Amino acid sequence: MTSSSVRTGAVDEAVDEAAVARSYEIRTYGCQMNVHDSERLSGLLENAGYVRAPEGSDGDADVVVFNTCAVRENADNRLYGNLGRLAPRKTQRPGMQIAVGGCLAQKDRDTIVKKAPWVDVVFGTHNIGKLPVLLERARVQEEAQVEIAESLEAFPSTLPTRRESAYAAWVSISVGCNNTCTFCIVPALRGKEKDRRTGDILAEIEALVGEGVSEITLLGQNVNAYGSDIGDREAFSKLLRACGRIEGLERVRFTSPHPRDFTDDVIAAMAETPNVMPQLHMPLQSGSDPVLKAMRRSYRQERYLGIIEKVRAAIPHAAITTDIIVGFPGETEEDFEQTLHVVREARFAQAFTFQYSKRPGTPAAEMDDQIPKEVVQARYERLVALQEEISWSENKKQVGRTLELMVAEGEGRKDGATHRLSGRAPDNRLVHFTKPDTEVRPGDVVTVEVTYAAPHHLLAEGAVLDIRRTRAGDAWEKRNTADAPEPSGVLLGLPKVGVPEPLPAATGGCSID
């Protein structure tokens, strides 16, 4: 079922040629799923004849698309603030259009047009494929179009995609989520979990490898619940093993799993499949059993630490990261101490920590015993200090190790000033290394020795030990030669999750399952 202010069959048939050569800009907020959706929105618009606006356009494009997130407190205020700043620009620029999609659009629907009547299109998470048609319909009818599908119309992977990286790619294996965590509104906005056919997933990966991609990240709101549609509890481990048989695929990652569904066969598949990287992001949220129960998380501290122990036994060098929420309603000092206990025991390589904030529409927002802001802040600072200490200690263990890095693009903000390049180790640690005299391209692989550790990165200050030019590097070079000087048009409103950098999004959003 959909809602729409105007329906015209002629416009639905094709996008008017007036769209040709119009520029677009996409601003993305939220989790990895939104980032990947924005790649699809770029592909749709370019398929319809639009071109990406130059980097730094900041609202000067003919079409500005907001791909929104609804899981953060004040997400709506941020959106309306950004829309307000574009209102005078739109008045001065006849023909400019503004579209709002994503989770906040799915949730607020007609409210967006009422609060910002200069918006031309509002579309939801289930019908992103309609964006070009809705833009043209709004232009022809001179009336805002609001169309929200209540269920998935077609699996998003069937849509055109303009991927942001030539050497690494997201691959969705499912959409939606069957969990009912009390702090999360995602299931209500993304719907129940729907899995892709394994053959379709593998065909997409093989096609990407054929184009030069050497690293893929399997993506789902609850990625290791894959197979629930068909009742196969081992479907995800079978998928990992199948990825291991794809020639030319060097690195496989996945995000984000749920402890409830994390089974021994997945650990075995990770340990026994050479191209599945020794890295695991396992959301904790809280170390307290009473708080986990209030969060409606279907595991407890003992179960969680048991998973970590099994992973470490099977994959000794695995880097394990997590998500933690501080100050959930009703959290006592004793509850918080249990979280610190788990952090000490698990020794995470990195933790994405969040102060609890009310998410409108979630059960937790209505709970009693909301924790005072100053208490949450103090606990948060204690947690961050502990994790920083552990992260630094764990990184120091890497000093002296020889690592193979996949050279990354845009990961080292100071690389230009320090004459370094940056890359990702197999366990996903970020390593900055001395720039060699020989040309090295993103997607190529270098071998280095780690000489220094900081809490959030490593340094390899000596000479590069080996350089392996790859098909992924060739693909990067080909794209940049063909596209130069065209820049990226998907502007992210969150800490980078990469291109795709396979770390979990630090948002408290869809990835926090």
Side-chain angles (χ1 to χ4, degrees), residues 225-297:
Y226 178 74
S228 61
D229 277 359
I230 58 176
D232 184 356
R233 287 182 56 82
E234 295 190 355
F236 185 61
S237 63
K238 293 174 183 175
L239 178 60
L240 291 177
R241 293 182 187 277
C243 287
R245 295 190 288 270
I246 297 177
E247 187 176 353
L249 180 59
E250 297 194 17
R251 295 187 173 192
V252 178
R253 305 184 192 275
F254 58 88
T255 193
S256 289
H258 192 295
R260 182 195 66 186
D261 302 302
F262 204 80
T263 49
D264 290 349
D265 60 294
V266 173
I267 298 174
M270 292 177 65
E272 296 166 9
T273 309
N275 64 356
V276 175
M277 293 294 96
Q279 173 225 343
L280 175 65
H281 180 70
M282 181 66 73
L284 169 65
Q285 309 310 2
S286 174
S288 161
D289 287 354
V291 172
L292 288 170
K293 182 178 180 180
M295 288 178 167
R296 214 176 288 158
R297 302 284 288 181

Side-chain angles (χ1 to χ4, degrees), residues 324-339:
I324 301 173
I325 298 173
V326 177
F328 188 80
E331 180 189 73
T332 65
E333 179 63 23
E334 182 180 354
D335 292 326
F336 178 65
E337 286 292 343
Q338 287 300 305
T339 295

Side-chain angles (χ1 to χ4, degrees), residues 20-72:
V20 174
R22 300 188 74 208
S23 61
Y24 75 89
E25 171 190 333
I26 299 178
R27 302 185 184 185
T28 309
Y29 308 93
C31 67
Q32 305 99 319
M33 194 66 74
N34 269 17
V35 175
H36 193 25
D37 281 350
S38 287
E39 291 184 326
R40 302 191 194 288
L41 292 170
S42 293
L44 284 161
L45 291 172
E46 292 188 14
N47 228 33
Y50 293 78
V51 296
R52 296 198 299 175
E55 187 173 5
S57 294
D58 193 25
D60 284 335
D62 297 308
V63 174
V64 179
V65 182
F66 291 87
N67 191 5
T68 64
C69 172
V71 300
R72 300 302 295 271

Side-chain angles (χ1 to χ4, degrees), residues 182-183 328-329 356-368 370:
T182 55
F183 55 78
F328 188 80
Y356 172 78
S357 59
K358 288 185 179 182
R359 278 102 169 185
T362 63
E366 306 301 322
M367 288 181 176
D368 296 330
Q370 300 283 330

